């Protein structure tokens, strides 16, 4: 059932009424768990294969003709960006595929390197590595706009089918790259956070395509009010400290839900938020400080 749900809400949260730099509409919303970027190490250039061949830099951008709608191939294709290296590849080795998920994939080319789990697996297993940009993010856009009609193509099933279609049809920019599909080489799908969940869902939804999946911190269960996010902090901080924090929170809750305007204003002034009118904004501002 989850496959029929649209990802357009994720996109709209960034674009409609966003007032915070990271796309949230207010500080009461939990920060989105983007997959972190790995710093680029200039000493890793130039890139060379195991036989000494000088390869294109990691940040070389390629394009793949991806189907606009997997349910209606007659609509044609769009250009989906990807990054690739065969630094550690040897004939017969696997192909490692990852998408950063809900972000512009520019800058995620460092996930090709052995500074990440992708590159470490590649180095150990003689693999080639591919980073594929998610549809509707960065410059991989099936449609030229973000209308409701266009965003109907932003679904989990379309994203899953993108991974499968790419694996089955891409001609990788390396010797023999036109003959390393899932029927000729083992493909390993990896991801973290949302892309980790996408990895898990793909392995279940499209069995037999990928030889293995590696899902890190996969958010396979969507929880809107995830108050348990801070629970490990509360449980593992010094007990005298956690007791003080809980006492402060309980006091603010009691005052903010009461009618004593003098006490309410005193707390707002304490945090330098005396001019704020709405108490949910005051609480959100303090929560934002903790989150960030």
């Amino acid at each position: 059932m989850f496959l029929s749900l649209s990802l357009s809400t994720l996109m709209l949260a960034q674009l409609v009424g966003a007032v915070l730099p990271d796309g949230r509409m207010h500080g009461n919303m939990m920060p989105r768990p983007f997959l972190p970027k790995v710093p680029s190490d200039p000493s890793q250039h130039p890139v060379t294969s195991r036989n000494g061949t000088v390869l294109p830099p990691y940040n070389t951008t390629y394009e793949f003709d991806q189907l606009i709608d997997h349910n209606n191939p007659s609509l044609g294709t769009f250009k989906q960006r990807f990054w690739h290296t065969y630094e550690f590849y040897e004939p017969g080795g696997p192909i490692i595929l990852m998408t950063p998920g809900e972000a512009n994939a520019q800058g995620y080319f460092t996930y090709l390197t052995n500074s990440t789990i992708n590159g470490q697996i590649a180095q150990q297993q003689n693999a080639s590595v591919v980073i594929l940009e998610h549809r509707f993010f960065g410059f991989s856009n099936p449609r030229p706009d973000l209308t409701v009609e266009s965003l109907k193509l932003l679904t989990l099933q379309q994203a899953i089918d993108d991974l499968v279609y790419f694996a089955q049809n891409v001609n990788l920019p390396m010797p023999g790259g036109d003959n390393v599909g899932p029927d000729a080489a083992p493909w390993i799908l990896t991801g973290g956070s949302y892309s980790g969940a996408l990895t898990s869902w793909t392995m279940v939804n499209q069995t037999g395509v990928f030889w293995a999946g590696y899902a890190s911190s996969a958010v396979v269960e969507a929880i809107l009010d995830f108050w348990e996010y801070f629970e490990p902090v509360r449980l593992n901080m010094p007990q005298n400290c956690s007791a003080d924090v809980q006492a402060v929170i309980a006091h603010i809750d009691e005052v903010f839900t009461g009618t004593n305007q003098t006490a309410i204003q005193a707390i707002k002034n304490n945090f330098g938020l005396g001019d704020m009118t709405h108490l949910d904004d005051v609480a959100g501002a303090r929560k934002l400080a903790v989150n960030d």
Side-chain angles (χ1 to χ4, degrees):
M1 179 178 179
F2 70 85
L3 296 175
S4 65
L5 298 178
S6 173
L7 294 173
S8 57
T9 304
L10 186 65
M11 176 73 75
L12 292 174
Q14 290 183 295
L15 301 175
V16 181
V19 295
L20 298 179
D22 61 3
R24 286 175 290 162
M25 289 178 283
H26 54 76
N28 284 320
M29 297 178 67
M30 192 69 67
R32 290 173 50 211
F34 281 112
L35 195 67
K37 291 184 179 179
V38 177
S40 178
D41 182 1
S43 68
Q44 294 175 330
H45 303 285
V47 184
T48 58
S49 70
R50 282 183 165 164
N51 65 12
T53 302
V54 177
L55 305 181
Y58 295 127
N59 62 355
T60 303
T61 306
Y62 303 95
E63 291 182 335
F64 172 72
D65 291 327
Q66 182 63 264
L67 292 178
I68 292 173
D69 184 353
H70 293 277
N71 298 318
N72 186 5
S74 66
L75 293 179
T77 62
F78 69 96
K79 299 297 184 182
Q80 188 171 32
R81 298 195 301 174
F82 71 96
W83 292 259
H84 168 262
T85 189
Y86 60 102
E87 179 181 9
F88 302 115
Y89 180 76
E90 294 182 10
I95 311 297
I96 299 170
L97 175 62
M98 188 199 86
T99 174
E102 72 284 27
N104 184 326
Q106 187 72 44
Y108 283 94
F109 60 84
T110 48
Y111 277 79
L112 299 172
T113 75
N114 62 1
S115 297
T116 68
I117 189 65
N118 295 331
Q120 290 180 22
I121 295 174
Q123 190 170 19
Q124 182 186 76
Q125 301 296 330
N126 310 319
S128 171
V129 187
V130 183
I131 305 299
L132 181 66
E133 189 165 64
H134 196 293
R135 62 168 51 213
F136 279 102
F137 291 90
F139 292 93
S140 298
N141 298 305
R143 296 291 193 188
D145 55 54
L146 298 177
T147 62
V148 171
E149 191 63 27
S150 292
L151 290 177
K152 288 180 181 179
L153 296 171
L154 183 58
T155 65
L156 290 171
Q157 189 63 63
Q158 294 282 356
I160 290 171
D161 292 342
D162 281 349
L163 298 173
V164 173
Y165 188 81
F166 179 88
Q168 293 175 337
N169 293 278
V170 68
N171 183 353
L172 291 177
M174 69 179 192
D178 59 344
N179 191 32
V180 288
D183 59 338
W187 279 65
I188 300 173
L189 189 60
T190 70
S193 191
Y194 159 61
S195 69
L198 191 59
T199 295
S200 300
W201 295 328
T202 303
M203 296 297 292
V204 173
N205 183 254
Q206 296 287 343
T207 58
V209 177
F210 295 95
W211 184 75
Y214 182 94
S216 176
S217 302
V219 286
V220 292
E221 182 181 0
I223 303 174
L224 183 61
D225 184 17
F226 187 35
W227 62 267
E228 295 94 340
Y229 184 88
F230 294 109
E231 191 66 358
V233 178
R234 184 186 72 83
L235 293 175
N236 291 283
M237 67 195 307
Q239 289 189 3
N240 60 325
C241 184
S242 63
D244 290 343
V245 171
Q246 290 178 92
V248 169
I249 293 173
H251 173 67
I252 294 175
D253 285 347
E254 181 179 1
V255 172
F256 277 11
T257 55
T259 58
N260 188 334
Q261 295 302 315
T262 301
I264 291 173
Q265 190 62 42
I267 290 179
K268 290 161 59 177
N269 292 342
N270 243 3
F271 292 116
L273 303 173
D275 293 334
M276 277 193 173
T277 303
H278 299 285
L279 295 183
D280 55 348
D281 289 337
V282 177
R286 299 314 308 151
K287 185 177 182 181
L288 178 62
V290 173
N291 288 340
D292 295 346

